[in-house]
Amino acid sequence: FWCTLQLGAGVMVLSIRGKKTPLEERTNRPADTAFKQQKLRVWRPILSPTAAIATFATTGLLFLPIGLVLAAVTNQVVEVESINYAAVCTTNPCYINLTVTEKMVAPIYLYYKLSNFYQNHRNYVRDREDAQLAGESSLTPSALSCTAAKTRYPAGSAGLAEAGWEFNSMQNVVSPCGLIASSVFNDSFRLSTAGGAPVPISESEIAWETDRRLKFQNAADGSTGRNFAAFNYWRSASCDDLPDTSLRQPCLDAADSTLGPVGWCFPGSGYCAEDEHFIIWMRTAGLPTFRKLFGTIAVDLEPGVYRVQVSNGVLDPNTGLYMKQDLSGPQEDLYPVSVFGGTKAVVISTLVVGLGGKNPFLGLAYIALGVACIVLAVGFWAKHRTSPRALGTAPFLYYGSRATRAPVSQNS
């Protein structure tokens, strides 16, 4: 091991060198394997004119019939969309017409469609509490990740003092909290023929099974629906009024909650956080114009005019009026969209298994790509037939700078 010291131009340079280590003693040397020494067998295909023409022709002949089949299948989907009923509905309930021009074979899907509603906004998407939606108990306001609508009264408010609650208490919590839950769509729809005969709409099993089973449950401590306006009616409803009589005893067992009446917001009820319309709304859309499933129709619809009743609120069987969720008075308005400049519509549609609703894009994309490949194959074939050249012709090979254009000799 040795070093040298050099002086020059006022700069001192210290050079240190060590003894060379024998090759067999070097520890960082890669193993002598085909992989580490980059000696693996490889295939270097040569894209000859014939191979290029065959590739384009095969791709075109494969994609073109696939595209034609997809286009034909999606054209079998029958879809009917109503007018923007927000522009014509001034009363609750409101009636609009749907004109079916060809027979619709069951199953038929009924959607509501909103436009200019940005459910994909970052602050909107993240404003939810998944643990609360999944039924976790004893989540006080301080334990919630929501930034909006998570307490009934803000800290230090007169209402909080009048109620005798602490700010960070279960009495003051809003469940479910957040912007998504508080803006839940709550218009309802009923369909009938022109003669007034009702068309049954099933509103069960419309949400994802994993969402219903794992992600949305009513809390065992009775906190679900607490201070949440959209669930007021269900939370204050009597167990004796449950349509499913087998749920009345579980409802009575949950009625002794320390947080007040639980009503139908008990685990396994299918209401409140377990309501499938609410579950579908909580799965946010990726685009500002979207549709969400409201129900399914199990009977065929013949061509004709159908009447859609749009309503909002709870129907009072005694007066025939739609009431607010807390039954404090008539519900006069439908779901508001004017505040964000949006529109509302009703859509009924059939589906194609594996492809979904009416969307010609996939078929047209396959057709366009198939046609383009066939055109290129024909063009390359014509060029190759009219002015062919041998593969790897020496005068067309160059080395170094192309500006010098020094050709490779025939003997090199």
Side-chain angles (χ1 to χ4, degrees):
F1 200 88
W2 57 279
C3 65
T4 60
L5 183 65
Q6 300 177 355
L7 295 175
V11 179
M12 181 176 67
V13 180
L14 181 64
S15 176
I16 301 177
R17 298 182 181 178
K19 293 192 303 181
K20 292 184 177 180
T21 305
L23 186 63
E24 61 273 7
E25 297 180 9
R26 296 180 186 176
T27 57
N28 293 331
R29 183 173 183 267
D32 188 15
T33 63
F35 177 77
K36 292 189 176 181
Q37 295 298 331
Q38 299 184 14
K39 296 179 182 178
L40 292 173
R41 295 173 61 89
V42 296
W43 177 52
R44 298 183 178 89
I46 299 175
L47 193 62
S48 64
T50 303
I53 293 170
T55 300
F56 278 114
T58 302
T59 303
L61 293 175
L62 180 64
F63 276 48
L64 187 57
I66 292 177
L68 293 174
V69 171
L70 291 175
V73 170
T74 192
N75 283 335
Q76 296 177 2
V77 175
V78 183
E79 182 176 292
V80 180
E81 181 174 336
S82 74
I83 61 172
N84 170 27
Y85 69 84
V88 298
C89 287
T90 58
T91 60
N92 180 26
C94 172
Y95 297 90
I96 57 176
N97 291 332
L98 284 175
T99 302
V100 178
T101 57
E102 55 184 302
K103 183 177 179 178
M104 303 182 71
V105 180
I108 303 168
Y109 300 84
L110 188 148
Y111 304 88
Y112 58 88
K113 179 180 178 180
L114 298 181
S115 69
N116 206 39
F117 193 116
Y118 287 82
Q119 273 200 316
N120 58 351
H121 193 285
R122 179 172 179 269
N123 291 339
Y124 185 90
V125 171
R126 67 187 299 183
D127 203 21
R128 58 188 290 162
E129 178 55 62
D130 289 324
Q132 190 183 57
L133 294 170
E136 187 172 327
S137 300
S138 304
L139 290 175
T140 58
S142 63
L144 301 177
S145 59
C146 300
T147 58
K150 66 178 181 180
T151 59
R152 179 174 181 180
Y153 299 114
S157 67
L160 193 64
E162 291 176 3
W165 298 343
E166 294 183 4
F167 171 75
N168 191 40
S169 65
M170 291 302 296
Q171 287 81 9
N172 194 36
V173 75
V174 173
S175 177
C177 67
L179 289 174
I180 309 177
S182 62
S183 61
V184 61
F185 184 85
N186 56 0
D187 283 354
S188 296
F189 308 99
R190 295 291 178 266
L191 185 66
S192 61
T193 63
V199 177
I201 300 174
S202 173
E203 301 174 35
S204 62
E205 297 186 359
I206 56 175
W208 290 12
E209 191 273 336
T210 52
D211 285 353
R212 302 195 308 266
R213 181 168 52 88
L214 301 175
K215 296 185 177 181
F216 293 86
Q217 299 290 327
N218 294 327
D221 65 352
S223 59
T224 301
R226 178 80 180 171
N227 300 317
F228 186 66
F231 296 167
N232 276 347
Y233 174 75
W234 289 331
R235 190 172 174 87
S236 60
S238 170
C239 296
D240 295 333
D241 295 331
L242 271 168
D244 188 347
T245 57
S246 65
L247 294 176
R248 293 178 181 177
Q249 188 56 48
C251 177
L252 294 172
D253 295 340
D256 59 352
S257 169
T258 58
L259 298 176
V262 174
W264 297 356
C265 295
F266 59 91
S269 68
Y271 297 93
C272 303
E274 299 172 6
D275 175 58
E276 295 195 46
H277 295 301
F278 176 75
I279 294 173
I280 288 175
W281 178 259
M282 294 299 294
R283 184 169 286 278
T284 54
L287 296 173
T289 298
F290 58 87
R291 60 178 67 171
K292 291 181 181 286
L293 184 62
F294 181 83
T296 58
I297 301 171
V299 297
D300 297 346
L301 295 183
E302 299 294 336
V305 177
Y306 292 83
R307 196 182 194 197
V308 181
Q309 174 189 291
V310 185
S311 61
N312 192 298
V314 180
L315 179 62
D316 185 346
N318 298 322
T319 63
L321 298 176
Y322 283 88
M323 310 297 289
K324 296 179 180 179
Q325 290 290 333
D326 58 2
L327 304 180
S328 60
Q331 175 67 39
E332 298 177 352
D333 301 318
L334 301 176
Y335 186 81
V337 295
S338 60
V339 290
F340 54 87
T343 62
K344 298 185 292 185
V346 178
V347 180
I348 56 174
S349 174
T350 59
L351 296 183
V352 176
V353 177
L355 294 179
K358 195 175 186 66
N359 188 349
F361 174 78
L362 187 60
L364 294 178
Y366 270 89
I367 293 174
L369 183 58
V371 170
C373 288
I374 291 175
V375 170
L376 289 173
V378 172
F380 288 161
W381 175 83
K383 193 274 177 190
H384 185 58
R385 292 285 294 177
T386 56
S387 57
R389 75 175 176 89
L391 186 65
T393 304
F396 295 96
L397 302 178
Y398 300 92
Y399 66 90
S401 172
R402 291 187 61 85
T404 62
R405 303 188 65 81
V408 178
S409 66
Q410 296 284 356
N411 298 326
S412 61

